[in-house]
Amino acid sequence: MQNEREKELIIESRFHCQLIGPKGENIQKIRDDFAAVQISFPDTKSDVVKLRGPRDDVDKCAHTLTKMYKDLIENNYQVKVPIFKQFHKFVIGKGGNTIKTIRKETDTKVDLPDSGSDSDMITITGKKEN
C-alpha cells in the first residue's frame, strides 16, 4: 500500500476525446504501456483525470499524458477572425482553391460558419506561429 499512489491531472475536457483516440486506440496503448495504472476519465465535463497504481508507474504515466496534452494544446491554438459574410466567397475561392492553399501553406484548419448561420466568424486552428 505504501507504493500505491493516486494522482489527479488537470486536462481540459475538450481534449479527452483526442487523448482517448478513435475507438480508444490511444488510451489503449497507454494502458498497455502502464498496465498497473488505472486511468479514469470523468463522466461529466470535469477536467480532472485520475491515475492510480504503483508510484513509479503513475508518475511515468502522468508524464506521458501531460506531454500528449501539451502537444494537443500547442497544435490546437485557435483564433476567431470576423470577416463579413459577403466576403467569405473570396476566402473560399473558385472551387475552394484559395482556402485549400491557405490551409496547406499555413498548416492550419480554417473553418467557416455554416451557410445558414448568421455568424461572420472564421475559426483558424493550428500551431500559434502558423
Side-chain angles (χ1 to χ4, degrees), residues 78 88 99 103 109-114 121-125:
Q78 243 181 29
H88 287 192
I99 198 165
R103 288 173 176 155
K109 181 179 174 190
V110 182
D111 294 315
L112 287 92
D114 294 332
M121 289 294 200
I122 294 178
T123 306
I124 304 166
T125 308

Side-chain angles (χ1 to χ4, degrees), residues 75-81 83 91 102-103 106-112 121-128 130:
N75 292 314
N76 284 284
Y77 182 78
Q78 243 181 29
V79 176
K80 294 187 183 281
V81 182
I83 297 178
V91 173
I102 293 169
R103 288 173 176 155
T106 62
D107 192 26
T108 58
K109 181 179 174 190
V110 182
D111 294 315
L112 287 92
M121 289 294 200
I122 294 178
T123 306
I124 304 166
T125 308
K127 290 187 177 184
K128 187 174 184 176
N130 292 352

Side-chain angles (χ1 to χ4, degrees), residues 32-95:
D32 291 345
D33 293 346
F34 304 100
V37 178
Q38 179 185 359
I39 305 168
S40 303
F41 285 89
D43 293 336
T44 60
K45 288 286 184 190
S46 172
D47 293 341
V48 180
V49 175
K50 295 182 182 181
L51 308 177
R52 183 183 182 103
R55 181 177 303 275
D56 291 341
D57 290 345
V58 167
D59 289 340
K60 289 175 186 173
C61 184
H63 177 75
T64 300
L65 285 171
T66 302
K67 184 181 181 319
M68 289 174 70
Y69 175 51
K70 286 180 180 176
D71 289 345
L72 284 171
I73 289 174
E74 182 182 319
N75 292 314
N76 284 284
Y77 182 78
Q78 243 181 29
V79 176
K80 294 187 183 281
V81 182
I83 297 178
F84 290 116
K85 209 155 181 57
Q86 66 261 32
F87 297 119
H88 287 192
K89 62 184 174 190
F90 299 112
V91 173
I92 296 168
K94 189 171 185 172

